């Protein structure tokens, strides 16, 4: 495999880094254009303070990992890049909404995000709640547009998948379980390893998984290929969370642009905490292998997705 | 017109009341079923506390005015009732999410809703934020299902319309303008009558208007008929808000199940405040006539929608 050298240093894989950066730059441009000042048909106005808060939360930063996964999965199935960018931008809006609401004082109470003040700090709590609500709603607006895909059946499949990944049984439900695991509502919560795996599969895994599946949907992939991509997405989603939890223990706040050690301070339930760092690193390696195995049917064309799995497991920020 | 007697006492129009009550009961049943404990395909779990908060906010009360409008407009265009119920339930989820978030301490800070504790009082703030997020997301889940309509093009038209009515340029944007009008972010806000009309068309009008248009979309109504229904919906949306503001001045808290006089206390900008109660009542009458005029092309078959306009203008709770 041509990318074998990347296994030890994926962040030095120049071809991969260039693709990741290009996807981030194009996503930034598209979000900037989608969140323009001019109201669209059916919008009576775009209130400036709300728009500014949405832009604060969604522009000017982030690796754009989720759009990147949509773009690269779509490329594997020969879907046009501009459609993948639309779907990726919608998913990024959902990701950014979740960060705004998770950072609120009533939730994780964070003041810093990507090295900048969180939305309720830069604006105020009411504006932050509404900006989150509006970004979530906007994601479905973007998915519903013919620019995302000319076939309504494809667009509605994306809507269905995103709603399920983000809602009660996915991301929002996972955040609820995470707050419960902190012991907010009852004392002496004892989570098993299986509980934590489900919690994380919901909280962060479901949206990362859907970011991959969305590309397969856009590319009209057959069910077996969609399943394979779903397995890949679930594995890297789990890897992402373990890597994130390891960074909270081992990472450098300056590089991360956010404070560390917060999980322990909040009593967050993590696999790193339960398994210890060494076993967590071993689990990460196993998940990368699982992700790579899921990509086996696609051969050399899935090289970038393979590199993405390693990048996610080994990232330092 | 057979319903002429209803002009003076619409709440005594038994046929209308029966239809309204039936739609409310069926909507309640459907929401109860949609928000069941069992996770669906693609949901890893339905966390109990989150589900309970969503159910607290969406079950056991409310006139279900928005689903009723969807059901009756769909009936006008001969769409099957069970599809209208699905779309109406989705719209009601958006309405209920907006109530949860509007009631939060950082927003309008309300403790009572429909005579019961608001979600953040019955549960807690974090749960309330997540329950609102999840109901909003769930609305798009429901719209995306084939039960709502077998044709994906119809479902995606509903998604597009709901997203635009609820988001940045609709309901959420209107709530932002309303907070700004309270003078939260700058002093000496001087709103014109036109400003208030736009604010209210966004905050409450857009979703009520879409509740009507959704029925026309479900029924495959031609563009001219969809426009007529849109005009009707905009007129009754404006009437709804004026009636609501009049109730805040003139209403009885016991009948309403919520406190009154809050608009004045919060410095809310209302047309009642600007025009005075007498002119506001005259405006209401004019809006009912405008709504009835918009229904002219549909003749006697639109009798229930005509009665709905009068009901909205003359309601006492």
């Amino acid at each position: 495999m041509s990318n074998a050298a990347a296994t030890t240093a994926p962040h030095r894989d120049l071809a991969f880094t260039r693709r990741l950066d290009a996807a981030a730059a194009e996503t930034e441009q598209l979000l900037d254009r989608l969140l323009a000042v001019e109201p669209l048909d059916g919008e009576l106005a775009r209130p400036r303070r709300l728009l500014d808060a949405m832009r604060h939360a969604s522009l000017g930063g982030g690796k754009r990992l989720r759009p990147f996964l949509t773009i690269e999965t779509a490329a594997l199935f020969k879907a046009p890049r501009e459609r993948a960018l639309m779907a990726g931008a919608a998913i990024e809006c959902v990701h950014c909404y979740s960060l705004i609401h998770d950072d609120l004082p009533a939730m994780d109470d964070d003041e810093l995000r990507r090295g900048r003040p969180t939305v309720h700090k830069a604006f105020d709590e009411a504006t932050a709640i509404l900006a989150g609500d509006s970004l979530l709603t906007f994601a479905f607006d973007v998915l519903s547009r013919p620019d995302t895909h000319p076939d309504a059946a494809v667009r509605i499949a994306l809507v269905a998948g995103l709603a399920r990944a983000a809602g009660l049984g996915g991301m929002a439900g996972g955040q609820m379980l995470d707050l419960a695991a902190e012991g907010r509502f009852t004392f002496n919560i004892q989570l098993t390893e299986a509980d934590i795996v489900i919690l994380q599969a919901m909280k962060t895994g479901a949206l990362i998984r859907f970011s991959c599946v969305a590309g397969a949907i856009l590319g009209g992939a057959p069910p077996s290929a969609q399943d394979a991509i779903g397995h890949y997405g679930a594995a890297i989603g789990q890897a992402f969370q373990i890597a994130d939890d390891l960074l909270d223990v081992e990472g450098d706040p300056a590089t991360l642009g956010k404070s560390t050690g917060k999980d322990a301070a909040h009593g967050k339930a993590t696999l790193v905490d339960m398994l210890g760092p060494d076993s967590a690193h071993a689990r990460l390696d196993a998940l990368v292998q699982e992700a790579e195995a899921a990509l086996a049917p696609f051969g050399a064309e899935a090289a970038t997705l393979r590199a993405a799995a390693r990048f996610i497991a080994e990232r330092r920020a």
Side-chain angles (χ1 to χ4, degrees), chain A:
Chain A
M1 200 177 70
S2 63
N3 272 342
T7 309
T8 50
H11 49 291
R12 291 194 197 131
D13 178 344
L14 274 182
F16 176 81
T17 306
R18 250 185 239 120
R19 292 184 78 92
L20 185 62
D21 291 348
E26 286 170 81
T27 298
E28 177 86 13
Q29 280 168 19
L30 177 57
L31 285 169
D32 180 52
R33 187 159 60 76
L34 291 169
L35 292 169
V37 176
E38 296 75 27
L40 300 182
D41 190 38
E43 293 178 332
L44 286 110
R46 289 189 157 190
R48 194 52 193 260
R49 185 180 180 85
L50 181 56
L51 186 67
D52 285 347
M54 292 168 76
R55 293 175 62 89
H56 178 91
S58 60
L59 297 178
K63 289 176 294 294
R64 311 297 191 185
L65 180 65
R66 290 159 194 80
F68 176 70
L69 291 168
T70 304
I71 290 165
E72 292 297 342
T73 313
L76 181 62
F77 297 103
K78 317 288 185 218
R81 188 174 180 92
E82 59 271 22
R83 296 180 190 167
L85 278 161
M86 286 289 284
I91 294 166
E92 189 71 4
C93 286
V94 171
H95 174 56
C96 293
Y97 121 73
S98 77
L99 298 181
I100 301 175
H101 283 190
D102 285 1
D103 286 339
L104 285 168
M107 304 274 266
D108 293 349
D109 195 13
D110 258 305
E111 303 194 354
L112 208 57
R113 169 72 68 181
R114 291 174 184 162
R116 296 188 305 163
T118 49
V119 176
H120 68 274
K121 281 288 161 189
F123 295 81
D124 62 285
E125 271 189 65
T127 303
I129 293 166
L130 288 171
D133 294 344
S134 299
L135 279 171
L136 171 57
T137 310
F138 196 64
F140 293 103
D141 188 317
V142 170
L143 285 187
S144 73
R145 301 186 195 180
D147 286 356
T148 298
H149 198 285
D151 183 349
V154 171
R155 302 205 295 282
I156 205 72
L158 292 172
V159 167
L162 182 60
R164 205 143 289 182
L168 165 68
M171 187 179 69
Q175 175 69 356
M176 182 84 251
L177 293 177
D178 208 23
L179 295 173
E182 282 179 20
R184 284 208 190 194
F185 313 120
T186 36
F187 296 104
N188 291 321
I189 299 283
Q190 280 297 334
L191 292 189
T192 65
E193 190 183 320
D195 292 334
I196 297 178
V197 168
I198 288 176
L199 184 165
Q200 296 188 338
M202 292 172 73
K203 190 184 175 188
T204 50
L207 195 62
I208 288 175
R209 181 183 177 282
F210 177 70
S211 302
C212 303
V213 172
I217 292 172
L218 278 173
S224 65
Q226 287 198 29
D227 284 353
I229 293 297
H231 286 143
Y232 165 80
I236 63 169
Q238 204 181 337
F240 178 90
Q241 188 60 55
I242 295 175
D244 210 55
D245 295 337
L246 278 166
L247 282 172
D248 190 70
V249 175
E250 302 172 346
D252 170 18
T255 314
L256 288 169
K258 64 178 179 182
S259 38
T260 58
K262 291 205 57 137
D263 293 349
H266 275 102
K268 291 260 183 215
T270 77
L271 283 180
V272 175
D273 193 44
M274 181 165 281
L275 304 172
D278 288 349
S279 295
H281 279 289
R283 177 70 62 93
L284 259 186
D285 290 343
L287 286 166
V288 171
Q289 285 176 31
E290 198 178 317
E292 292 185 332
L295 296 175
F298 309 112
E301 295 200 20
T304 304
L305 292 179
R306 279 187 197 91
R310 293 187 299 269
F311 171 81
I312 283 169
E314 298 171 25
R315 72 201 169 90
R316 291 290 165 269

